Amino acid sequence: MNTDELTQITTAHHTIISRHDVEMAEIRTTLNTVSHKLDQTADQLNQVADQLNQVTDQQQANAQQIALNRQDIASLTAGIVDLRNLVADYLQGRANP
């Protein structure tokens, strides 16, 4: 091999190494972009999970309040029925001396 052939091989080798370096840089850039987007997606999923947990907590609080309201309505209804019976007994007692 003469010096021209060695120079051509060396030049080709350097060209290949340069091309490889450019391609690796592009791959790193793409990986960084994908990694960043995955991080954003993970953050968004965490926010959605937090919101769902808040909704679940609020639904449980609402269910407890509904149960309490039903108990209060049942007590109020029973009190009204008792009052109605007392009034009816009183009126009947006045009607029959």
Side-chain angles (χ1 to χ4, degrees):
M1 245 190 242
N2 62 32
T3 56
D4 287 338
E5 291 172 338
L6 287 174
T7 302
Q8 288 175 354
I9 290 172
T10 304
T11 303
H13 187 258
H14 285 296
T15 302
I16 291 169
I17 290 173
S18 294
R19 198 176 299 155
H20 177 267
D21 289 343
V22 168
E23 289 175 358
M24 288 304 295
E26 290 172 356
I27 289 170
R28 284 187 196 97
T29 301
T30 301
L31 287 174
N32 286 336
T33 302
V34 169
S35 176
H36 181 68
K37 288 183 180 181
L38 284 174
D39 289 343
Q40 287 177 335
T41 301
D43 290 344
Q44 290 171 344
L45 288 175
N46 287 335
Q47 289 174 355
V48 168
D50 290 344
Q51 290 172 347
L52 287 175
N53 288 335
Q54 290 174 357
V55 167
T56 299
D57 292 344
Q58 187 60 48
Q59 286 176 333
Q60 289 174 349
N62 290 347
Q64 290 173 350
Q65 188 60 49
I66 288 169
L68 291 173
N69 289 347
R70 286 181 177 157
Q71 289 175 351
D72 290 345
I73 290 171
S75 295
L76 182 60
T77 302
I80 290 171
V81 168
D82 288 344
L83 181 59
R84 183 189 70 189
N85 290 339
L86 283 173
V87 169
D89 290 346
Y90 174 77
L91 291 175
Q92 189 165 3
R94 286 189 84 197
N96 296 325

